[in-house]
Amino acid sequence: MTEMTDEEYFALPSLSHSDTKLLERSPAHYRWAKDHAVREHKPQFDFGHVVHELILGKGAGIDVIDADNWKTKAAQEARKESREAGRAPLLTTEFMAAKACADAVRLHPLAAKLLDHMDHVEVACVWDDNGVQRRAKPDGVTGRFVLDVKTTPAADTESFGRSAGKFGYHSQAAWYIEAAHACLGIADPKFLFIVVEVDAPHLVNVIELDPYDIELGAKRNARLIGRYRQCVETDTWPGYGTGINQAQLPRWAEIAEEAA
């Protein structure tokens, strides 16, 4: 484990959990993204980065743009300069919303207790997994708890469970649990999500995923690490194949057709 900037971290010749999402789509997508230094950027990323920095006290920096919206040339130029400098630009109203999220997290008794006793904040973990270099950068580590801060439209437990399935949070948890064990020597790490709603009243929920779901995530990770290892060893990065593939309607569509 070591301290490093985001640029240094993303430049490491190693496999991250985000990388496995590209591999899952196809090895060809992963290889193209790496060869062309592609990093996806969405406006909501800036909001999330600012909330993280306000909560964790660590980040690349924040620029508050004094404008009502992003429509003016001056505001767009300021946003462009901020991002090129590696910082996160937000309009004043957006920054106030981000600060309200951070304040809500800090007022939540359990979340505040976990965050106030962090042993590590955004420390880079790199380890060898049978010849594959893997990496992770957890938001924080408190004792045996690995922490991840997430902003979301709905932080209730049921909605977050659906988001976990949609965005692969179960495999993220498994990945970071392995990182904490391999790099930090934690015998039995537990992964906790500190989830805060982006809209007022910015409710907060501390969530641990079901152990069975994390086990499924670990199996998914192992499968994709194996795919990556094979691609590296053979220097082949396949797409969708060269033959004819047969597609099938999703079950809900079949049911609708059968009932018509």
Side-chain angles (χ1 to χ4, degrees):
M1 68 177 180
T2 184
E3 299 284 340
M4 61 180 67
T5 66
D6 283 346
E7 281 62 36
E8 292 171 333
Y9 174 74
F10 288 117
L12 290 172
S14 53
L15 193 69
S16 71
H17 178 258
S18 295
D19 289 334
T20 65
K21 294 181 179 181
L22 285 171
L23 280 168
E24 194 164 31
R25 189 176 180 189
S26 84
H29 284 95
Y30 168 84
R31 187 69 270 161
W32 192 92
K34 292 302 175 182
D35 289 343
H36 294 81
V38 173
R39 281 184 60 194
E40 185 182 21
H41 189 96
K42 296 179 180 179
Q44 60 264 36
F45 289 176
D46 291 326
F47 186 88
H49 289 161
V50 170
V51 173
H52 275 71
E53 185 160 343
L54 292 174
I55 290 173
L56 302 172
K58 188 174 181 179
I62 303 166
D63 288 320
V64 181
I65 311 302
D66 187 14
D68 295 330
N69 53 56
W70 296 113
K71 295 180 180 180
T72 67
K73 184 176 180 179
Q76 292 171 9
E77 285 295 324
R79 178 172 60 185
K80 180 181 177 182
E81 291 175 4
S82 178
R83 286 181 180 165
E84 288 177 348
R87 298 166 65 84
L90 287 186
L91 299 171
T92 302
T93 54
E94 294 172 334
F95 175 77
M96 295 307 296
K99 186 177 183 304
C101 285
D103 290 344
V105 170
R106 283 296 182 177
L107 288 172
H108 187 277
L110 177 55
K113 183 177 180 180
L114 291 166
L115 292 165
D116 286 341
H117 294 85
M118 287 189 291
D119 304 307
H120 306 283
V121 180
E122 291 193 335
V123 64
C125 299
V126 184
W127 73 104
D128 179 85
D129 184 353
N130 294 320
V132 173
Q133 294 296 304
R134 295 170 60 184
R135 73 177 188 268
K137 199 174 185 182
D139 287 344
V141 178
T142 300
R144 66 190 292 221
F145 296 109
V146 183
L147 311 177
D148 187 77
V149 176
K150 291 197 182 299
T151 55
T152 179
D156 64 279
T157 306
E158 183 177 353
S159 294
F160 188 80
R162 290 194 294 268
S163 295
K166 181 178 180 181
F167 298 113
Y169 295 160
H170 62 307
S171 55
Q172 178 198 0
W175 191 279
Y176 280 64
I177 285 172
E178 291 183 33
H181 177 70
C183 297
L184 303 177
I186 301 175
D188 183 23
K190 297 292 183 182
F191 193 88
L192 299 179
F193 296 93
I194 298 176
V195 191
V196 56
E197 293 179 346
V198 296
D199 296 319
H202 306 291
L203 296 184
V204 177
N205 198 356
V206 179
I207 299 175
E208 180 182 15
L209 291 179
D210 185 281
Y212 177 73
D213 294 334
I214 295 176
E215 182 180 344
L216 289 178
K219 291 179 180 178
R220 175 260 186 200
N221 294 339
R223 172 172 53 84
L224 290 169
I225 291 168
R227 178 182 297 180
Y228 174 79
R229 184 181 289 110
Q230 183 177 23
C231 288
V232 171
E233 290 174 351
T234 61
D235 195 24
T236 56
W237 304 88
Y240 301 134
T242 57
I244 297 174
N245 297 307
Q246 186 178 71
Q248 184 176 6
L249 293 175
R251 185 56 186 153
W252 62 264
E254 291 180 342
I255 292 172
E257 289 293 336
E258 291 165 357

